Amino acid sequence: MSTLDESPLLGRVRETRAGRLVFPTTERGRKRRRIAALAVPFFALATFGAFIPLVKMFRISVAEQFLYEVQGWSLGPYRRLFASIAAFIPVVGTDLSAAIAVGGEAVNPVYGETIWNSLWFGAVTTVASVAVGIALAHGLEKYDLPRKGLLVTLISFPISLPGIVAAFMMIVLFGQTGLLTNFFAVLSGAQPVDLQLTGQPSGTTLAVLGLFFGYIYSMIPRATLLLRGTYAEVNTDAEEAARALGATPLQTFRYVTLPQIRPGIVGALILTFRTALAIFGTVLVLKSLSVVTFRFDQLVKVGYELNIASALAAVFFLFTVLFTFLSLRYTSAEVAR
């Protein structure tokens, strides 16, 4: 018996929960120690990469002073933010905003417009990206395409590009001197300035259309790769049985394949919608629509309103977490059925 084993202090440490984890005496205990050891890098990264910054962000969002030192407590930024969001609501917005705001607080409906733009634009680009992703994943998994490896590489290529680079690629294609802009100008006889999709006034149809292409360019590969994994789990025997019974390819997809890939579609919707809400570089360069990420940049760089930016980020973060939680619960229920 070693000297350490004879130490009363070490003996008491071994009896604690942490001691049993560090000095396991059973196979189950040793398994727990291995899991804990593997989890250490994740929790270390999460602590310094997520937990501490989030705590700091929430703290600034309720601070009275934040320029040189975070001091005091105030719900003013949240009250101002929610009053501004309410002011954007039609019909009842003015009265609702007045009920939330305290006299003298600046109310700006642009925050409501920003959140509304983020939600509808994120939803539209998500649905479009997942729809294209389903078609691409179906083609890649169900057909023996030539040079499939090269196709997969080309489809997944945009994932490796930063949003800013993707935005510049949109300018190269759809700007006033863009390749496709001039191509369609030659075909139609119109002026390139009337056809360009980037560089248009913010919020106009052409400007939003250019941003739409920039978004789905980055999101389609994510949806496709996720759905390819789902297709790998599809029961092909059921599909072959349906075809043998006379079902058309469309009927086979609708009644046999689609129910099996539905959890994957939900997962792809979650991933791409979150990506749509978070893409920053593309919006920053194209400046086509005032969405949440663009407003962050304005608040931090122009107005340096860190408390409002933190409050908006906190609401944005809580919405994303709640959306992901509810969606995953739906996905789990689908899988269980």
Side-chain angles (χ1 to χ4, degrees):
M1 184 175 293
S2 68
T3 304
L4 288 175
D5 290 337
E6 294 173 350
S7 168
L9 178 60
L10 184 58
R12 288 195 294 272
V13 171
R14 286 177 183 273
E15 295 300 323
T16 62
R17 179 174 295 181
R20 289 195 295 271
L21 181 63
V22 178
F23 305 104
T25 57
T26 64
E27 182 56 32
R28 185 179 179 184
R30 285 188 281 275
K31 183 179 179 181
R32 287 181 175 178
R33 184 173 64 179
R34 286 195 294 271
I35 294 174
L38 291 172
V40 166
F42 166 76
F43 281 106
L45 180 63
T47 298
F48 293 99
F51 299 148
I52 293 178
L54 281 175
V55 171
K56 185 71 174 178
M57 181 189 74
F58 279 105
R59 178 66 184 92
I60 292 175
S61 71
V62 291
E64 289 182 337
Q65 298 291 334
F66 53 86
L67 291 179
Y68 303 103
E69 186 178 0
V70 179
Q71 294 179 337
W73 297 85
S74 172
L75 292 178
Y78 283 98
R79 195 167 53 240
R80 179 184 166 193
L81 176 62
F82 287 124
S84 299
I85 295 172
F88 182 73
I89 300 175
V91 185
V92 299
T94 303
D95 294 335
L96 185 60
S97 176
I100 298 174
V102 176
E105 281 188 329
V107 175
N108 191 348
V110 71
Y111 293 106
E113 181 184 2
T114 295
I115 292 177
W116 167 244
N117 287 340
S118 300
L119 293 179
W120 77 259
F121 189 74
V124 169
T125 52
T126 295
V127 171
S129 300
V130 173
V132 176
I134 292 173
L136 290 174
H138 191 87
L140 290 171
E141 295 300 319
K142 295 298 180 183
Y143 300 102
D144 187 19
L145 300 175
R147 298 188 179 278
K148 183 181 291 187
L150 177 61
L151 288 175
V152 173
T153 301
L154 293 175
I155 292 172
S156 61
F157 172 69
I159 293 180
S160 60
L161 292 178
I164 292 177
V165 178
F168 275 115
M169 292 182 71
M170 291 300 106
I171 294 175
V172 170
L173 290 175
F174 299 113
Q176 186 174 353
T177 58
L179 182 65
L180 292 178
T181 301
N182 284 279
F183 174 74
F184 288 115
V186 171
L187 290 182
S188 64
Q191 293 296 320
V193 69
D194 297 326
L195 298 178
Q196 66 179 41
L197 300 184
T198 63
Q200 297 282 0
S202 178
T204 57
T205 302
L206 291 178
V208 175
L209 187 60
L211 186 64
F212 172 81
F213 284 122
Y215 259 55
I216 64 172
Y217 180 75
S218 299
M219 297 195 299
I220 286 175
R222 293 174 169 84
T224 303
L225 294 181
L226 184 62
L227 288 166
R228 283 195 70 197
T230 302
Y231 264 94
E233 303 296 328
V234 171
N235 184 350
T236 56
D237 293 339
E239 291 178 326
E240 293 174 359
R243 295 298 305 274
L245 292 173
T248 64
L250 183 59
Q251 290 173 327
T252 303
F253 175 78
R254 179 179 178 184
Y255 295 107
V256 180
T257 308
L258 185 59
Q260 296 186 69
I261 66 172
R262 188 174 299 161
I265 293 175
V266 175
L269 288 171
I270 296 172
L271 177 65
T272 51
F273 185 66
R274 290 177 52 174
T275 303
L277 295 179
I279 289 180
F280 181 70
T282 306
V283 180
L284 187 63
V285 174
L286 296 181
K287 295 181 174 61
S288 303
L289 194 65
S290 177
V291 295
V292 171
T293 49
F294 180 73
R295 182 54 48 184
F296 286 149
D297 182 66
Q298 295 291 303
L299 288 171
V300 173
K301 289 185 178 178
V302 180
Y304 202 66
E305 298 180 275
L306 284 184
N307 55 350
I308 292 292
S310 298
L312 183 60
V315 174
F316 183 74
F317 170 76
L318 293 176
F319 170 79
T320 305
V321 170
L322 183 62
F323 168 77
T324 305
F325 176 74
L326 294 177
S327 302
L328 289 177
R329 286 201 65 180
Y330 172 78
T331 308
S332 300
E334 284 288 305
V335 173
R337 283 201 293 269

